[in-house]
Amino acid sequence: ELWGRGFDEKAYLAAKQLKAGEDPYRQHAFNQLESDKLSPDRAIRDTRHYSCPSVSYSADLPATSVIITFHNEARSTLLRTVKSVLNRTPASLIQEIILVDDFSSDPEDCLLLTRIPKVKCLRNDRREGLIRSRVRGADVATAAVLTFLDSHCEVNTEWLQPMLQRVKEDHTRVVSPIIDVISLDNFAYLAASADLRGGFDWSLHFKWEQIPLEQKIARTDPTKPIRTPVIAGGIFVIDKSWFNHLGKYDAQMDIWGGENFELSFRVWMCGGSLEIVPCSRVGHVFRKRHPYNFPEGNALTYIRNTKRTAEVWMDEYKQYYYEARPSAIGKAFGSVATRIEQRKKMNCKSFRWYLDNVYPELTSPQLGQSGSL
Ligand code: UD2
Ligand code: MN
């Protein structure tokens, strides 16, 4: 297919095909051969609850800037992410798609895609990691609402409207879809459970968990949002002024990891809320290993990022973090002075408040109940 400014999809993909006999998992930690075989416009099953199609949304939803950061993404998954957005979203809602190329080996992976209408490309001149890359994208975004996506997603039918609706009604809501699974082996699109929310343990390890039974029973309308203590991190919609007001991201976090906790605690404790909107579905290729290198090593980077989170947001409860992750004790994490200052200025609530009101299911390690310190 040839777009307005002459984007040659076939040539874009063909230039990066696997060599015969090459391990299809080596470069991206998913089966690139299977991804390359699929059309950038392939159809996927509408995995929403059957009540979702009859929900109606405001006729004047705000447009959004979609921000996708990537480091050495496969061309076939990157292109399918972009095209699924253009194919499955009313044009009036997409202000632009901002690709932030986090110093990938080949600048053309990003640059060639700017021949597709609405697609812009920013390239970092050194590896920054996903956190600073997203901030760079957010800073140039021209729409009032930001939408973040990973670079190996496929958005599903009417994915954006339910999220924009929630943010339009209340700009302090930060909203995620249900994240469906795209198989890393055969790229089958699989529906995820609609009864999950984001959770974590004291070591700040993210996990999907069942929504508490009382909430599950009280949920009579399957189209209504699910409150979530944390978001997975990659796919969410947030009002741009609210994102800026809250302090964007902690720009001293590197590469990958931890920023989802930091943002989630900040949103809840500083007057906002986090939710999963079940009528929005976005597929994502979940992987078992990182396909890219961490300049400071994977473990140290995760410690640095989660330690910064604990030091700024967890108050006296940070001791539980150190007990659960003793390797973090004594490790360098830079200065958090300006982040603590911002927290004070915004008059954010305590971590104790967060545990009592948002995540009472996270119990203290010794006493088996929250708020017992
Ligand atoms: C999950 C999130 C991810 C992020 C991460 C914690 C989802 C679906 N994914 O990990 O968005 O919140 O948890 O940090 O919720 N990237 C860069 N530069 C880098 C490293 C990664 O731009 O140095 C890009 C990467 O190409 C991808 C995105 O950041 O588009 C997220 O990385 P991932 O897919 O490896 O993370 P994932 O899905 O395991
Ligand atoms: Mn991902």
Side-chain angles (χ1 to χ4, degrees):
E1 187 181 347
L2 226 59
W3 286 77
R5 280 166 283 171
F7 177 59
D8 188 341
E9 254 176 42
K10 291 226 165 61
Y12 177 77
L13 296 171
K16 287 295 171 71
Q17 246 153 38
L18 281 168
K19 318 255 173 315
E22 195 180 336
D23 174 3
Y25 290 86
R26 190 184 59 88
Q27 287 184 64
H28 305 290
F30 55 64
N31 191 338
Q32 190 196 327
L33 199 61
E34 290 299 315
S35 175
D36 290 358
K37 276 189 208 160
L38 297 169
S39 160
D41 302 295
R42 74 149 164 176
I44 50 177
R45 187 165 74 84
D46 180 351
T47 50
R48 294 173 298 170
H49 188 275
Y50 60 78
S51 323
C52 292
S54 45
V55 177
S56 57
Y57 305 101
S58 163
D60 60 337
L61 290 172
T64 188
S65 297
V66 176
I67 298 163
I68 302 170
T69 71
F70 68 95
H71 176 72
N72 288 339
E73 184 57 71
R75 284 188 173 191
S76 54
T77 40
L78 180 61
L79 177 60
R80 205 156 42 244
T81 304
V82 168
K83 294 210 73 187
S84 75
V85 169
L86 295 170
N87 290 338
R88 297 202 185 92
T89 322
S92 62
L93 298 182
I94 303 295
Q95 172 90 22
E96 60 196 342
I97 299 177
I98 301 170
L99 302 176
V100 184
D101 171 3
D102 189 14
F103 200 54
S104 302
S105 315
D106 184 354
E108 295 213 321
D109 292 352
C110 188
L111 281 175
L112 290 171
L113 294 179
T114 63
R115 298 187 176 191
I116 301 173
K118 295 194 182 182
V119 178
K120 297 171 182 171
C121 167
L122 300 172
R123 178 174 162 86
N124 295 339
D125 50 26
R126 58 164 195 199
R127 180 87 175 279
E128 299 285 359
L130 72 92
I131 297 119
R132 287 191 290 278
S133 300
R134 282 185 193 160
V135 171
R136 188 173 175 207
D139 283 344
V140 306
T142 58
V145 177
L146 309 174
T147 300
F148 294 97
L149 288 178
D150 272 10
S151 48
H152 32 259
C153 289
E154 283 166 72
V155 303
N156 212 320
T157 312
E158 232 181 8
W159 69 292
L160 189 58
Q161 291 92 323
M163 296 197 284
L164 289 178
Q165 179 76 36
R166 296 293 294 172
V167 172
K168 179 189 155 78
E169 288 166 6
D170 178 348
H171 74 278
T172 68
R173 290 175 185 151
V174 177
V175 183
S176 276
I178 291 182
I179 306 179
D180 285 334
V181 174
I182 301 171
S183 162
L184 81 164
D185 294 313
N186 61 16
F187 278 74
Y189 188 101
L190 309 164
S193 161
D195 296 323
L196 299 177
R197 64 175 195 176
F200 58 91
D201 61 23
W202 286 107
S203 74
L204 296 183
H205 170 80
F206 177 86
K207 55 184 184 193
W208 296 106
E209 59 182 34
Q210 290 289 324
I211 58 178
L213 196 60
E214 321 84 73
Q215 277 179 49
K216 205 165 157 172
I217 292 164
R219 269 179 69 78
T220 49
D221 183 349
T223 70
K224 288 279 177 298
I226 298 163
R227 277 162 55 97
T228 185
V230 290
I231 52 170
I235 310 176
F236 63 97
V237 176
I238 186 168
D239 180 271
K240 178 169 170 164
S241 328
W242 181 236
F243 179 72
N244 289 342
H245 170 82
L246 284 176
K248 303 176 186 181
Y249 273 121
D250 177 350
Q252 289 188 62
M253 288 188 177
D254 298 325
I255 308 298
W256 178 98
E259 91 297 339
N260 55 325
F261 298 113
E262 198 273 341
L263 179 73
S264 298
F265 298 163
R266 192 149 44 91
V267 167
W268 277 117
M269 291 164 62
C270 308
S273 62
L274 286 178
E275 58 189 39
I276 295 168
V277 183
C279 289
S280 175
R281 295 267 182 168
V282 174
H284 169 260
V285 186
F286 289 92
R287 295 181 284 210
K288 295 187 180 123
R289 63 170 175 91
H290 299 290
Y292 40 75
N293 74 306
F294 286 66
E296 314 285 328
N298 172 356
L300 273 182
T301 305
Y302 201 74
I303 284 171
R304 177 189 169 88
N305 295 354
T306 54
K307 189 167 175 176
R308 292 183 64 81
T309 303
E311 288 288 337
V312 176
W313 295 101
M314 289 174 72
D315 303 329
E316 65 272 27
Y317 292 87
K318 72 184 180 193
Q319 88 176 51
Y320 293 158
Y321 163 76
Y322 287 111
E323 282 166 20
R325 201 178 275 278
S327 53
I329 298 167
K331 293 285 186 330
F333 63 105
S335 168
V336 291
T338 57
R339 299 302 284 181
I340 289 176
E341 199 178 305
Q342 286 171 356
R343 175 179 168 181
K344 289 209 181 97
K345 267 205 194 119
M346 290 190 291
N347 231 305
C348 305
K349 298 185 183 85
S350 66
F351 198 71
R352 167 80 190 252
W353 174 90
Y354 170 84
L355 289 177
D356 288 345
N357 294 279
V358 180
Y359 202 16
E361 295 78 14
L362 180 64
T363 54
S364 305
Q366 301 94 335
L367 296 153
Q369 60 181 81
S370 74
S372 48
L373 251 182

